[in-house]
């Protein structure tokens, strides 16, 4: 095992082995992040049909929440039958027939990495990953001697990166 002599060697060694450890997690996060960019399209999604009985006499908002369809809008009503873009709902019987476009199971699970909340089982992984990425940012400044050209150029690129991200946040 490598010897830790000072802060610089600690940062370099920890950066190296933490990087190897997180390589798989970063691959999954990067792929799921790319998928989330196209979540407003049907990219890689399959249509899935549902036929289920839910509570009766739901309002438009309650129906959208129950069926997990965002921005559900009733297009027309025929008696007790409510017709919306994705299907129908009989308010008298609670029968809902609708279709949704969804990612395949594995890809759907991957995208949930980015959507995890503190109550989810994935939240410790997300926190660990975020802290590890922040460590990578900090430890990268110990990769080169501050007196070298590589370090000075690295600082310029760091400033450009920070400036670019701030500009893009506010556009």
């Amino acid at each position: 095992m490598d010897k830790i002599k000072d802060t610089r060697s600690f940062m370099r060694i920890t950066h190296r082995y933490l990087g190897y450890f997180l390589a798989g997690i970063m691959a999954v996060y990067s792929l799921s992040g790319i998928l989330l960019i196209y979540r407003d399209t049907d990219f890689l999604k399959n249509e899935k049909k549902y036929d289920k009985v839910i509570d009766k006499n739901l309002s438009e908002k309650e129906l959208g929440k129950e069926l997990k369809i965002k921005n559900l809008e009733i297009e027309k009503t025929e008696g007790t039958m409510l017709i919306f873009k994705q299907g129908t709902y009989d308010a008298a019987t609670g029968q809902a027939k609708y279709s949704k476009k969804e990612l395949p199971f594995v890809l759907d699970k991957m995208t949930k990495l980015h959507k995890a909340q503190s109550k989810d089982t994935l939240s410790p992984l997300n926190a660990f990953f975020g802290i590890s990425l922040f460590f990578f940012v900090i430890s990268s400044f110990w990769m080169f001697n501050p007196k070298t050209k590589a370090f000075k150029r690295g600082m310029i690129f760091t400033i450009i990166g920070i400036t670019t991200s701030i500009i893009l946040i506010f556009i």
Side-chain angles (χ1 to χ4, degrees):
M1 191 73 169
D2 300 320
K3 296 244 183 198
I4 296 175
K5 302 171 203 149
D6 54 15
T7 304
R8 185 165 185 248
S9 65
F10 171 78
M11 290 295 194
R12 291 176 63 90
I13 292 165
T14 306
H15 185 102
R16 178 187 323 138
Y17 291 112
L18 188 59
Y20 286 132
F21 176 72
L22 292 176
I25 297 172
M26 286 189 265
V28 171
Y29 262 89
S30 66
L31 292 174
S32 61
I34 292 166
L35 287 174
L36 283 174
I37 293 168
Y38 299 101
R39 69 180 166 264
D40 59 339
T41 70
D42 291 338
F43 179 62
L44 297 177
K45 293 181 180 176
N46 301 318
E47 189 168 346
K48 211 170 180 187
K49 296 191 183 294
Y50 294 92
D51 185 357
K52 61 183 182 178
V53 178
I54 57 176
D55 292 339
K56 299 175 188 176
N57 299 315
L58 295 176
S59 69
E60 185 174 341
K61 188 176 179 180
E62 293 169 330
L63 180 61
K65 191 174 181 178
E66 181 71 29
L67 301 180
K68 296 180 181 149
I69 298 175
K70 290 182 182 177
N71 304 320
L72 183 131
E73 290 183 32
I74 305 298
E75 294 177 347
K76 66 180 178 177
T77 305
E78 294 176 359
T80 61
M81 188 67 70
L82 305 176
I83 301 168
F84 50 97
K85 182 179 176 184
Q86 298 86 343
T88 61
Y89 167 67
D90 189 340
T93 64
Q95 184 75 37
K97 294 181 181 182
Y98 61 100
S99 60
K100 286 170 64 175
K101 296 222 175 190
E102 299 175 347
L103 287 170
F105 179 78
V106 173
L107 297 179
D108 185 54
K109 291 295 183 188
M110 284 173 56
T111 59
K112 292 209 179 358
L113 283 172
H114 289 273
K115 298 178 185 179
Q117 299 175 357
S118 60
K119 63 184 176 189
D120 295 336
T121 56
L122 288 172
S123 65
L125 175 65
N126 287 355
F128 172 73
F129 186 63
I131 292 165
S132 297
L133 287 179
F134 190 70
F135 173 79
F136 280 167
V137 170
I138 302 302
S139 65
S140 66
F141 294 106
W142 273 270
M143 295 295 121
F144 297 96
N145 187 330
K147 295 175 184 163
T148 63
K149 266 188 181 179
F151 184 83
K152 291 174 184 169
R153 283 189 195 134
M155 294 309 294
I156 292 169
F157 277 90
T158 299
I159 292 167
I160 292 169
I162 290 169
T163 305
T164 302
S165 62
I166 289 171
I167 289 170
L168 291 174
I169 287 170
F170 291 107
I171 289 182

